Amino acid sequence: MGHLTTLATCNLNQWALDFDGNQKRIIESIRQAKAAGASLRVGPELEITGYGLLDHFLEGDTFLHSWESLAEIIAHEECQDVLLDIGMPVKHKNVSYNCRIIVYNKRILLIRPKLSLANDGNYREMRYFTPWKAVKLVEEYYLPRIITKVTGQNKVPIGDAVISTLDSCVGCETCEELFSIHTCCSGFHVCRLPTPPMSPHIPMSLDGVEIFTNSSGSHHELRKLNTRIDLIREATLKAGGIYLYANQQGCDGDRLYYDGSCMIVINGRVIAQGSQFSLYDVEVVTATVDLEEVRSYRTSRSRAMQAKDSTPYQRIEVSISLSSNSEDVDPMVGPSKEIEFKYHVPEEEIALGPACFLWDYLRRSRQAGYFLPLSGGIDSCATAVIIHSMCRLVDQAIKKDNNPQVLTDLLRIAGEEEDSEWRPKDPQEIASRIFHTAYMGMRVNSSADTRARARDLGKAIGSYHLNFDIDTVVSAVTALCNAVTAFTPKYKMYGGTSVSNLALQNIQARLRMVLAYMFAQLLPAVRGRTKPGSLLVLGSANVDESLRGYLTKYDCSSADINPIGAISKTDLKRFILWASKGFDMPLLQSFIDAPPTAELEPITDDYTQSDEVDMGMSYNELSMYGRLRKVDKLGPYGMWRKLLHEWGNILSPQEIYEKTRSFFWFYSINRHKMTTVTPAYHAEQYSPDDNRFDLRPFLYPSFDYAYRKIERTIKAMGTVGTNRPEGAENNE
């Protein structure tokens, strides 16, 4: 039995600019950590402001309110006698930094700025912050008067230093620094001090730091969590030590869902884990660790030889012990045991991530519920099942009776009084109050099958469902066209042109959007709601259709929020198959079996519209194109070269070229649609979201230069370039 100490980390559901709410959640996490006997509490990145402020980080008010909030936190009675690691932005010498504030008993010990900034994908930290000047550099920071009144301090250290307690040493590593190859390399400056190309925990460990804190603002992406866990495990497996990872959890006002998963790891072993998806605003995780285990783990001679050459960090001393005295140790209390880390399969991630996101979005928007146009197809079905998953989570939280905020939010959303005694008996009853669906059909274009599937799904989920046709409205619009122009648009099968055929489809699609917003605004009043609030309209365009542009601008893809907008058709099918069993909804199999169809053209005995036929490519092909374009960063020529290796056993180079060219044609002529695309829950690396993630032009020239290069290459191949390989039919 050595030096035992209990440490705490947390998931916090912070909200950008919600200084009051964020402060309450921070204080509550500290209260829970102390109640569990923790001597150190670590919080998420930028927890005082929330992570997703975007350009609000450029405003002076943000820094002012951060200091004001911090002053109230460190003066609070619940925030004493525990070492605190708190995140907020700090401006030093007129330069903005993303910082950790280390506090103990109303005194700021250290302001530790972030060394490496996240600046790709959804992250734009270099737009708001600057990396700290150099590794192991420490300067003096002059505190604002509001802090001086609380702490009695005029200045404190700011920089890359560590905290030395009476029994151990603590160092900070913030989010991106764990992922970085070089701690001080942001691409825009040169390190002033010699540093090895490694994350801070490595040189810190060589200098005797035993406890590492990592405060993160990491968002959910399908199949991403294992990468994060592997890096954290490797950090202490390689260097030894105790690693406390904290993260935000929830929707903080943008397209991202921060997926928690706070954890405590010692010497590569996970000993505590928080949830990845949850309705809790505050989730604190604690573990009891033995500091002697770290010291024993680091006894190898090779480590000692490296440590002797390491340059020291400045140590900020604080007269506290994180561990108990050896004579005070209870022999019946031991270190926390290793646990098996819980991962969700991708289908569960789709069920839980967007569901938690939609609950946050709904309660924080203070509206009355959701409205979803149900087409009877798999995309709107997936959105409806995600809402069902949300209702299940709400129902579970209410029945467990350990998260009262959920019931408070539900009563307000449902239009009940605060003291209402209404309690839902199941998820379907929740849906009946806050979820509204509608099948908006056409008598000739819509099939009885899709109408029945929409009706049956609404019943199974418990939604308030409408079933009606829009023929009269469509006829009114086409009649207006005829009255103004003396031209009557016709479907192609009835002798119309391709232009008029497409126009008639778009009229239906856009009218459905108008009707969706009309019902979303009026249905609460129709149902007798007297309190303010309308319905938020949900979209159901998947990532593949957005990528190719297979949607009508300002149709039902235009909505308030789209929970599946960054999820592929392939993953959605797998999700529905999983949900048919996981949620005991066998009717979902009929959605999987049905061929995808927009049902915007008349159905005849020998013709039913098909999505994949209309698109000229399959959904599986679209997923491949999407990953090669965005994740692998390939243009037409690079994509063609890559696809030669992927599809070369079944297709000729010429056929692959034609498919590549077809994709880029449709992608380029439809890219303008992404400028108005509905905000979508971010879940996939190849999302084409133009507003945040996938920044590209929306007016493209032809890719003729690349096409000519491909054509020259195929010509040089001779017959190999135009003939399929032998046995291709057996490889399909």
Side-chain angles (χ1 to χ4, degrees), residues 74-359:
I74 62 181
H76 198 281
E77 60 182 1
E78 292 282 7
C79 302
Q80 311 308 312
D81 301 319
V82 59
L83 188 62
L84 302 176
D85 182 345
I86 300 171
M88 61 175 265
V90 172
K91 189 166 288 189
H92 174 58
K93 298 180 179 178
N94 300 326
V95 178
S96 299
Y97 297 101
N98 177 346
C99 293
R100 307 304 305 169
I101 314 294
I102 312 303
V103 177
Y104 182 73
N105 281 359
K106 298 183 182 180
R107 291 187 67 81
I108 294 177
L109 304 177
L110 171 68
I111 300 174
R112 201 280 191 175
K114 194 172 181 179
L115 300 176
S116 297
L117 300 181
N119 210 53
D120 57 4
N122 285 296
Y123 296 103
R124 302 284 185 276
E125 290 186 13
M126 288 290 291
R127 182 179 174 94
Y128 322 114
F129 301 114
T130 301
W132 182 240
K133 302 176 180 182
V135 172
K136 301 179 182 178
L137 175 68
V138 179
E139 297 182 348
E140 290 183 332
Y141 181 85
Y142 289 86
L143 293 168
R145 285 170 291 181
I146 189 172
I147 297 295
T148 300
K149 290 179 182 178
V150 176
T151 67
Q153 300 166 284
N154 292 314
K155 58 185 179 180
V156 296
I158 180 172
D160 186 23
V162 297
I163 302 297
S164 182
T165 67
L166 297 176
D167 57 348
S168 190
C169 190
V170 181
C172 301
E173 182 170 77
T174 307
C175 196
E176 178 72 10
E177 294 167 3
L178 173 66
F179 296 82
S180 294
I181 297 174
H182 196 294
T183 58
C184 205
C185 181
S186 62
F188 291 93
H189 75 291
V190 177
C191 299
R192 287 170 46 191
L193 299 179
T195 68
M198 58 185 70
S199 296
H201 66 265
I202 298 176
M204 284 181 182
S205 71
L206 294 175
D207 195 36
V209 174
E210 297 175 333
I211 301 171
F212 309 102
T213 68
N214 186 314
S215 304
S216 183
S218 187
H219 65 77
H220 174 238
E221 206 170 74
L222 291 174
R223 305 171 181 90
K224 172 186 172 184
L225 181 60
N226 62 316
T227 301
R228 194 188 310 162
I229 305 310
D230 290 345
L231 284 169
I232 293 173
R233 276 178 163 158
E234 182 187 354
T236 58
L237 189 65
K238 178 171 52 180
I242 301 156
Y243 207 100
L244 284 81
Y245 176 82
N247 195 14
Q248 301 215 38
Q249 185 178 66
C251 165
D252 82 337
D254 199 11
R255 294 157 171 78
L256 308 180
Y257 178 83
Y258 298 92
D259 62 340
S261 305
C262 65
M263 71 192 82
I264 301 176
V265 180
I266 180 170
N267 299 338
R269 296 180 288 111
V270 179
I271 57 175
Q273 175 194 359
S275 64
Q276 185 178 10
F277 310 107
S278 169
L279 300 188
Y280 288 102
D281 283 345
V282 177
E283 181 181 7
V284 174
V285 168
T286 61
T288 299
V289 297
D290 188 349
L291 297 175
E292 291 298 328
E293 288 189 27
V294 177
R295 295 156 189 167
S296 175
Y297 193 86
R298 292 178 172 177
T299 55
S300 71
R301 299 313 303 159
S302 60
R303 178 195 175 277
M305 293 301 292
Q306 295 176 65
K308 75 179 181 65
D309 295 326
S310 66
T311 56
Y313 283 83
Q314 179 172 331
R315 296 200 173 202
I316 311 300
E317 296 182 354
V318 54
S319 297
I320 60 170
S321 292
L322 298 177
S323 62
S324 303
N325 294 324
S326 57
E327 58 268 22
D328 296 333
V329 173
D330 184 346
M332 301 304 293
V333 178
S336 300
K337 302 295 184 182
E338 182 177 9
I339 63 172
E340 183 177 352
F341 198 91
K342 166 65 176 175
Y343 293 98
H344 293 288
V345 297
E347 294 81 2
E348 288 179 303
E349 292 186 74
I350 295 172
L352 298 173
C356 293
F357 175 92
L358 288 174
W359 179 248

Side-chain angles (χ1 to χ4, degrees), residues 347-356 358 372-374 377-393 427-428 431 435 437 453-454 456-458 460-463 538-540 563-564 572-589 591-592:
E347 294 81 2
E348 288 179 303
E349 292 186 74
I350 295 172
L352 298 173
C356 293
L358 288 174
L372 172 66
L374 267 184
I378 199 166
D379 291 335
S380 61
C381 167
T383 298
V385 174
I386 288 171
I387 292 291
H388 176 63
S389 178
M390 181 192 81
C391 293
R392 286 170 59 93
L393 292 172
Q428 285 75 13
F435 187 38
T437 56
R453 285 199 298 270
D456 294 345
L457 181 59
I461 289 174
S463 68
L538 294 172
S540 295
I564 68 167
L572 288 176
K573 287 182 177 179
R574 291 172 179 160
F575 162 60
I576 293 301
L577 182 61
W578 173 88
S580 67
K581 298 177 181 178
F583 292 160
D584 191 22
M585 299 176 70
L587 69 89
L588 296 181
Q589 184 64 45
F591 288 86
I592 298 171

Side-chain angles (χ1 to χ4, degrees), residues 543-555:
V543 68
D544 299 321
E545 291 170 351
S546 296
L547 176 68
R548 189 250 182 229
Y550 186 63
L551 53 91
T552 300
K553 208 170 185 179
Y554 304 115
D555 68 350

